[in-house]
Amino acid sequence: MSRRPTPPALVGRERERAEIDDLLARTAEGAGGALVLRGQPGIGKTALLDHAAARAPGALVLRTTGVEHESALAFAGLYDLVGPLTDTLLAMPPERSAALAAAVGLSEAAGDGAVPDRFRVATQLMMLLAAAAERQPLLLLVDDAQWLDRPSSDAVLFAARRLRAEAVAVLIAVRDGEPGDFTTPGLAELLVEGLPGPDAAALLARAGQDLAPTVRARLLDEAHGNPLALLELPGSLIRN
Ligand SMILES: Nc1ncnc2c1ncn2[C@@H]1O[C@H](COP(=O)(O)OP(=O)(O)O)[C@@H](O)[C@H]1O
Ligand SMILES: [Mg+2]
């Protein structure tokens, strides 16, 4: 499981947290599901994924982040995601694991350099997750999915659409407005929008600087509730 610093408490986001907490509760009871968080850069998608990880102490957290310069590297995303399940994968019969093991570089099962069959990889990912979830609930966190390599995102979406009667929760964060269409038909979606006025003001206050009321008002107006802007703009004003 990844060791990340405890994030500071979220301001607001009651509706989003309730939806995530509800998914986690259903997952703990054995019937998870998937939720796509969509929104502009800095709006708080990663913060919500961190919140989910912190709210699922009994779950095994599997996490991967799309990286723009790796998006042409087939299966790079799956490599991170299934890493914690390596032992489970290698213990499965080869006919249920060989393509996935080869895809993430755990074996030469696909032959010398042959590309693993993408459909097999997807079905074997689904079987691996279902097997692992019999022992412990799983929480899959996919961040910056717009940059995930296509074979990995296809496999994750294939599994996410089908694992509804297992203890598997899938949260996928996607940046809005990127070229390259990362669409997720069939999955529930939560649009992450700007923080409402009072929450935005509370976050700006947390950013710490003493701001003149007129400056504060202007920042609130310009940030449109974007948390990254609220946290960064005061500092940039002082530095400039
Ligand atoms: N509701 C919130 N309360 C407090 N801080 C937040 C909140 N949402 C986001 N942040 C902070 O704002 C910054 C940008 O959020 P992040 O989750 O990285 O955005 P995104 O992943 O959508 O680009 C981060 O420093 C994050 O910790
Ligand atoms: Mg992010």
Side-chain angles (χ1 to χ4, degrees):
M1 197 186 294
S2 57
R3 288 269 162 267
R4 302 164 67 89
T6 313
L10 290 182
V11 172
R13 296 296 187 216
E14 287 80 9
R15 183 177 70 93
E16 292 82 357
R17 284 192 273 181
E19 203 155 326
I20 289 169
D21 292 352
D22 185 51
L23 172 63
L24 295 175
R26 282 184 276 125
T27 304
E29 284 165 13
L35 183 61
V36 178
L37 308 175
R38 203 178 271 279
Q40 58 177 238
I43 205 72
K45 303 178 296 298
T46 300
L48 286 167
L49 296 186
D50 290 341
H51 165 81
R55 296 283 292 180
L60 178 63
V61 180
L62 308 173
R63 189 163 186 152
T64 190
T65 299
V67 179
E68 198 167 11
H69 65 262
E70 288 185 358
S71 53
L73 206 54
F75 302 116
L78 279 191
Y79 176 85
D80 293 328
L81 200 66
V82 305
L85 294 178
T86 299
D87 291 346
T88 314
L89 178 62
L90 293 177
M92 290 177 74
E95 67 274 16
R96 295 165 66 90
S97 61
L100 179 56
V104 298
L106 285 172
S107 72
E108 297 301 321
D112 37 1
V115 180
D117 179 86
R118 285 166 58 166
F119 181 68
R120 283 226 172 102
V121 171
T123 55
Q124 292 181 2
L125 175 68
M126 187 184 70
M127 290 189 280
L128 172 69
L129 297 175
E134 284 178 16
R135 288 198 308 269
Q136 183 183 10
L138 302 181
L139 172 59
L140 270 66
L141 301 177
V142 180
D143 203 356
D144 282 328
Q146 75 282 353
W147 290 325
L148 213 59
D149 64 278
R150 189 66 191 252
S152 290
S153 62
D154 283 349
V156 168
L157 292 174
F158 179 89
R161 287 197 196 93
R162 287 164 180 82
L163 291 169
R164 293 175 188 276
E166 283 82 11
V168 182
V170 185
L171 281 175
I172 301 173
V174 192
R175 184 176 279 202
D176 235 359
E178 280 291 307
D181 56 331
F182 186 88
T183 53
T184 52
L187 298 185
E189 204 164 287
L190 184 60
L191 216 54
V192 186
E193 295 179 298
L195 292 170
D199 293 337
L203 186 57
L204 187 58
R206 192 195 273 183
Q209 278 85 12
D210 274 332
L211 299 170
T214 49
V215 177
R216 229 158 50 82
R218 210 190 79 215
L219 285 184
L220 283 173
D221 191 46
E222 284 179 5
H224 299 290
N226 183 300
L228 184 65
L230 290 164
L231 292 170
E232 298 276 313
L233 280 175
S236 73
L237 279 185
I238 287 165
R239 281 192 295 275
N240 291 333

